[in-house]
Amino acid sequence: MFKSFLTLSILLLGSFAMAQQPQDNMKAYPPAADGMKRVVVYLESKEEEDDYRIELMVGKTVEVDAANRFFFAGTLEEETIEGWGFPKYIVKQIGPMAGTRIGVDPDAPKVKRFVKLGGEPKLLRYNSKLPLVVYVPKDAEVKLKVWVASPQPVTLNEG
């Protein structure tokens, strides 16, 4: 009876420690500065995390015409938190918006669309052991895409 109680107690304590881990990791991340917000994402654990990547997209949902492609000026920067070694991602400002200049009917209805920062996509290593922390202006949105490698290796023809 005592052995079962001891085992159950150890299991419960282990569960509590795992539940507390995300909050413990947040000690390293400072609160957002004025005019900014901190977005925290906890990734679910995967068996082969090296096969996954996260595409981090920062932007805003705005009304635009349906024919053109749009993007915002801005830079997504990665910084390492001193003393901890954890990464954090920062977009200090977003704007102005730019895009292609396809002529459209001025009476055509506008559509709401998520417009992200321009440039190459930012692909990050998938790591469920640490939170993904992004600091952005208060009016910005953060979205993620999870990419996974094909389980089949690709054979290249040498020529």
Side-chain angles (χ1 to χ4, degrees):
M1 170 92 174
F2 180 71
K3 272 188 179 180
S4 343
F5 176 72
L6 182 60
T7 304
L8 180 60
S9 299
I10 291 171
L11 287 174
L12 287 174
L13 286 173
S15 314
F16 181 75
M18 287 180 3
Q20 291 292 19
Q21 186 178 5
Q23 289 82 6
D24 291 345
N25 286 339
M26 288 308 297
K27 290 178 189 175
Y29 299 96
D34 286 343
M36 301 285 283
K37 66 182 176 182
R38 180 177 69 183
V39 178
V40 180
V41 179
Y42 296 100
L43 302 171
E44 65 181 50
S45 180
K46 303 278 187 194
E47 232 176 90
E48 294 292 330
E49 291 191 355
D50 285 341
D51 291 344
Y52 293 83
R53 293 289 180 267
I54 298 295
E55 181 180 347
L56 183 58
M57 300 175 292
V58 177
K60 297 179 187 179
T61 300
V62 294
E63 282 193 357
V64 294
D65 65 66
N68 286 289
R69 292 185 179 188
F70 297 92
F71 63 91
F72 280 106
T75 306
L76 177 65
E77 300 171 9
E78 179 178 349
E79 292 182 5
T80 301
I81 299 173
E82 201 171 313
W84 291 84
F86 297 161
K88 67 178 179 179
Y89 302 91
I90 303 168
V91 174
K92 294 180 181 164
Q93 63 181 12
I94 293 182
M97 186 171 70
T100 57
R101 299 186 61 145
I102 298 172
V104 294
D105 180 357
D107 296 329
K110 302 280 186 189
V111 294
K112 283 192 174 200
R113 184 181 293 163
F114 178 72
V115 177
K116 61 185 180 176
L117 296 179
E120 291 297 313
K122 181 73 171 178
L123 292 178
L124 310 175
R125 190 174 149 255
Y126 193 103
N127 184 0
S128 64
K129 294 179 179 43
L130 289 176
L132 178 59
V133 180
V134 186
Y135 295 87
V136 296
K138 282 195 179 206
D139 60 345
E141 298 172 55
V142 175
K143 295 188 178 193
L144 304 175
K145 280 186 188 175
V146 176
W147 294 88
V148 63
S150 169
Q152 300 298 320
V154 176
T155 304
L156 302 175
N157 293 327
E158 295 182 27

